[in-house]
Amino acid sequence: MPLRLIFMGTPDFAVPTLRALAAAGHQIVAVYSREAKPSGRGMKLQPTPVAQEAERLGIPVLTPKTLRSAEAAAEFAGFHADAAVVVAYGMILPQPILDAPTFGCFNLHGSLLPRWRGAAPINRAIMAGDAESGVMVMKMDIGLDTGDVALTGRIALTDAMTAADLHDALAPLGAELMVEAMALLERGALRFTKQPEDGVTYAAKIDKAEARIDWTKPARAVLRHIHGLSPFPGAWCELPIEGDLVRVKILRCALAEGSGAAGALLDDRLTIACGDGAIRILQLQRAGKQPMQAQDFLRGTPLQPPLRVC
């Protein structure tokens, strides 16, 4: 028999899982998502990506401001769900919510737990220079990503991968993993392993104050910092353009040959010296402009040594 599920999610990352669970034949009795926010030039209220997909699938959407009230707990329990599936929902689930479904609540987390518990695991894995990342299906408890793990999917990280690239690789992988987990749960065959006590790290929410590029760091650390923040919030520096320092987000780069004082422009191809080694900028974005390939940017704004990037 298909499971009665409540789905809880908000951003694009969660949409493939919602879609896959519906396609697998489960009865999704309700979708919980965050409230619609003003967006665009007209600042019209824009439902979340998960809410939009739920509406397309004909599933009722709830956007409570809190889950901590008795009313919210009663409404949640009233769906008589076998399980809740949680993917980047963005709200803490209190104990009455965790206890309501027959088999509990299951979270899809974008890291290899216990590494990178918390809000920004995709960004932090890249920024830290990790060799691999992945997704895990975890049975939720009251702690922060501390629950027992059922299934794991792994993916190798390369220096060329941005946070957007890793996001787009993990989302469908996670959807497949959650469908497998719910199929095992149906048959009473889902098994769990406790997380090890060693190796715990926390993926703190990205602070915009972290976004400025520090050219004194080694080239690979600079590259991973840039890619871990691409496209949002975007690592930035200031380029000397026509006598002014102009803030520019760097979205993609590659390790390059060359050396010099940190921040020095080494050639006319946007190769910049770091504390050790150099990187070459491949894609960038000026404030208020669309992202551009470096060669297109340089056609309109040629830069030559001996400029210094700040």
Side-chain angles (χ1 to χ4, degrees):
M1 294 289 291
L3 296 172
R4 284 177 60 86
L5 299 178
I6 295 172
F7 187 87
M8 310 177 81
T10 295
D12 288 322
F13 184 78
V15 170
T17 303
L18 171 58
R19 192 178 292 147
L21 289 170
H26 295 294
Q27 183 183 2
I28 303 176
V29 294
V31 165
Y32 279 64
S33 195
R34 300 302 299 269
E35 292 181 288
K37 291 184 176 181
S39 180
R41 289 187 177 179
M43 296 302 286
K44 293 182 179 179
L45 288 177
Q46 185 76 12
T48 70
V50 163
Q52 292 179 54
E53 180 64 17
E55 289 168 6
R56 189 188 71 81
L57 293 169
I59 304 169
V61 178
L62 294 86
T63 58
K65 292 182 178 180
T66 180
L67 296 173
R68 296 191 176 278
S69 68
E71 293 79 11
E75 183 175 40
F76 191 88
F79 288 110
H80 303 289
D82 295 315
V85 171
V86 184
V87 186
Y89 177 42
M91 290 177 68
I92 300 295
L93 272 58
Q95 196 67 53
I97 298 292
L98 294 173
D99 292 342
T102 304
F103 299 114
C105 299
F106 298 86
N107 177 239
L108 184 70
H109 185 75
S111 82
L112 299 176
L113 294 166
R115 188 162 175 79
W116 303 128
R117 293 173 178 171
I122 289 175
N123 307 86
R124 297 296 178 189
I126 293 175
M127 293 168 73
D130 290 4
E132 66 174 351
S133 183
V135 283
M136 286 184 157
V137 174
M138 169 188 66
K139 186 169 184 181
M140 299 176 72
D141 59 22
I142 203 64
L144 177 63
D145 299 326
T146 55
D148 296 348
V149 172
L151 298 176
T152 301
R154 297 175 181 270
I155 187 168
L157 296 183
T158 70
D159 285 341
M161 293 181 77
T162 66
D165 296 331
L166 182 54
H167 169 285
D168 292 349
L170 292 181
L173 178 61
E176 293 175 8
L177 210 64
M178 187 60 77
V179 168
E180 181 183 353
M182 292 300 101
L184 290 168
L185 186 65
E186 270 187 88
R187 304 197 299 269
L190 191 62
R191 301 291 179 258
F192 300 94
T193 302
K194 288 191 176 297
Q195 293 185 37
E197 295 182 5
D198 295 333
V200 174
T201 59
Y202 290 93
K205 185 178 180 180
I206 299 297
D207 190 321
K208 287 186 177 180
E210 299 178 73
R212 186 161 193 164
I213 299 168
D214 182 356
W215 297 105
T216 66
K217 291 184 176 181
R220 188 166 181 269
V222 172
L223 176 147
R224 283 298 193 113
H225 176 244
I226 288 169
H227 284 174
L229 297 179
S230 178
F232 183 83
W236 62 272
C237 63
E238 292 178 321
L239 294 179
I241 299 174
E242 297 177 352
D244 293 323
L245 284 176
V246 177
R247 182 181 289 203
V248 176
K249 289 183 180 181
I250 311 302
L251 302 178
R252 285 189 187 271
C253 61
L255 297 176
E257 297 294 329
S259 62
L265 186 68
L266 300 179
D267 58 23
D268 61 358
R269 300 175 64 211
L270 283 179
T271 301
I272 301 173
C274 301
D276 178 20
I279 65 156
R280 184 160 68 88
I281 296 171
L282 303 178
Q283 188 182 44
L284 67 165
Q285 182 178 16
R286 290 181 67 166
K289 305 289 186 181
Q290 292 296 313
M292 298 179 69
Q293 299 303 312
Q295 60 266 32
D296 297 328
F297 171 82
L298 289 169
R299 286 193 195 100
T301 313
L303 298 176
Q304 301 271 356
L307 295 179
R308 191 75 172 267
V309 179
C310 299

